[in-house]
Each structure stands twice: as C-alpha cells, then as structure tokens.
Amino acid sequence: NAGVTQTPKFQVLKTGQSMTLQCAQDMNHEYMSWYRQDPGMGLRLIHYSVGAGITDQGEVPNGYNVSRSTTEDFPLRLLSAAPSQTSVYFCASRRGTGVDGAFFGQGTRLTVV
Amino acid sequence: AQTVTQSQPEMSVQEAETVTLSCTYDTSESDYYLFWYKQPPSRQMILVIRQEAYKQQNATENRFSVNFQKAAKSFSLKISDSQLGDAAMYFCAYGRGGATNKLIFGTGTLLAVQP
C-alpha cells in the first residue's frame, strides 16, 4: 500500500541545473498536484492535473513544468534551477472532488546553491 | 481570491489538556471544504479532520474536533487529552467545491506538548 511516492527525498542542485522530481501514486486517483512549502508561507500550489493529458498552473508556476502522460505519474521539472526554488516540494493526489482529503507524498527537500 | 489565516504561529499545551487552534478563511463561494493537516517532524502531511461547508454539524475524529462557524468564516481545531505525539505543525486548508485538488493553506501553527 504505497500511496504517493516521491523521489528523491533530498537533492542539492547548482544554479542553472535542471532536474525532475518524480511522483507516483498507486490509488488510481484522477487528481494530482504539486506544492512547495516555504517557512512562514504554508504550502502553495505550483501545478495540478485533473487527469492524464490535462495539466494547469497553480499559484506559483514560474520556473516549473509538468506533464501527465499516465494516471499514475506526475513529474515536476525544474528547467534552470534558481536559489529561489530552494524549498520542500510535495506531491499530492486525491480520488475526486469533494470531501476526500488529499494524500501527500513525503516531500523532497531541494537546495539550490 | 480565497485566503486562509492562522493567527497563532506557535501554541503550547500540557499533556492531557485541551488546546484550540484557530483558523479563519475568506471566500465568496458557498460550496467548499475545510481541512486540518498535521505535519510532524517527519515532514509527512497527515489529514486530521475535514468539514463540508454544507454540513452544520461539526466534524469529530476521536480526540480531534472542529468548531465550524460558517457565518463568521471560522474553522478552529480542538485537540482533547493532548498527547506527546500531537506535537507538530498544523495547517488549515480550504478547497473550493469542484476543485478540492487545489488546496489553499494557512501558514501553520506549531504545537508543542509539554510533559
């Protein structure tokens, strides 16, 4: 019963490098989202998807790309990392709209130097 | 735009006592959902309790309950018989009906439990 799996758990990047944060869920959830958590700011929505092939921007999308080729996977790409992207990143999924709460992965702590 | 405000950055409670964490929100929507999430030092986000806006009855989950005041746009979390394992960051979150995959979070309240 894996739930939402994020990899890696920790990552250090140099400014300008690119990388992909992986997120996979095994609950056949339609909805998946990426959030970033910064001190004193709670979690903020980066991108989200309502199904395979459908993605849209959240509150803070700049510098990030996503795609959703399968129901299970929702990777987040940093094209050219900047120190401002130092944060903890969470992937979440949910079955559908309504009272069901989102299931979160364990997060990725990313440091850009 | 919807906003969620948690005005208590830190709270402290004695073991076995009761503590209430505050949350207010602003929305013009009538269909929405409210959630409390717990984030222990492990960083994992754990759903504690949820409330549908159309329900007048306050949600309860074991030692956790909410006081949902829709007119006042207030959604406080009460933890009874506090335990050491309750020590964590607590986030209040809002989800608009039909879009609850796009949660709006408050800034969190760090709860310490004193033995």
Side-chain angles (χ1 to χ4, degrees):
Chain A
N1 192 9
V4 180
T5 302
Q6 286 185 241
T7 56
K9 289 186 171 52
F10 300 93
Q11 183 71 48
V12 179
L13 285 180
K14 293 182 178 179
T15 297
Q17 286 185 317
S18 63
M19 79 159 296
T20 299
L21 306 185
Q22 301 291 344
C23 175
Q25 53 92 7
D26 62 357
M27 299 172 282
N28 201 32
H29 285 175
E30 300 171 46
Y31 297 85
M32 298 186 73
S33 306
W34 276 102
Y35 296 86
R36 60 177 288 172
Q37 182 180 16
D38 301 295
M41 300 189 74
L43 281 74
R44 293 180 293 167
L45 183 66
I46 304 171
H47 285 285
Y48 65 96
S49 169
V50 299
I54 307 170
T55 64
D56 206 346
Q57 296 180 352
E59 180 186 355
V60 287
N62 292 340
Y64 308 95
N65 278 355
V66 292
S67 60
R68 184 97 179 268
S69 56
T70 67
T71 299
E72 294 79 17
D73 299 300
F74 190 44
L76 178 72
R77 297 184 187 85
L78 283 71
L79 302 178
S80 178
S84 61
Q85 294 178 304
T86 293
S87 188
V88 178
Y89 291 85
F90 286 95
C91 178
S93 75
R94 59 175 297 114
R95 181 173 59 187
T97 58
V99 73
D100 289 350
F103 290 83
F104 282 82
Q106 289 201 310
T108 297
R109 180 175 293 279
L110 175 68
T111 302
V112 183
V113 298
Chain B
Q2 295 87 6
T3 58
V4 176
T5 302
Q6 293 179 251
S7 59
Q8 305 155 316
E10 297 181 13
M11 293 280 286
S12 183
V13 63
Q14 292 292 128
E15 200 174 3
E17 297 293 308
T18 296
V19 65
T20 298
L21 307 184
S22 300
C23 173
T24 59
Y25 60 95
D26 188 26
T27 183
S28 59
E29 303 285 342
S30 58
D31 179 21
Y32 57 89
Y33 301 82
L34 297 163
F35 306 89
W36 278 99
Y37 281 89
K38 172 186 178 181
Q39 187 180 43
S42 68
R43 203 168 67 198
Q44 180 69 50
M45 294 288 287
I46 303 165
L47 179 63
V48 174
I49 199 165
R50 55 195 166 213
Q51 175 80 43
E52 301 98 308
Y54 62 86
K55 286 189 176 179
Q56 292 187 337
Q57 185 174 3
N58 290 326
T60 299
E61 290 286 345
N62 300 314
R63 297 183 295 107
F64 298 87
S65 61
V66 299
N67 183 5
F68 174 47
Q69 301 290 326
K70 190 171 183 178
K73 295 180 181 174
S74 171
F75 183 61
S76 60
L77 175 68
K78 185 171 80 171
I79 306 174
S80 304
D81 185 25
S82 296
Q83 301 175 358
L84 295 177
D86 294 334
M89 182 73 85
Y90 286 82
F91 291 99
C92 179
Y94 166 99
R96 180 170 59 87
T100 49
N101 57 307
K102 300 189 290 181
L103 295 174
I104 299 171
F105 285 84
T107 52
T109 296
L110 183 61
L111 178 66
V113 180
Q114 307 299 330

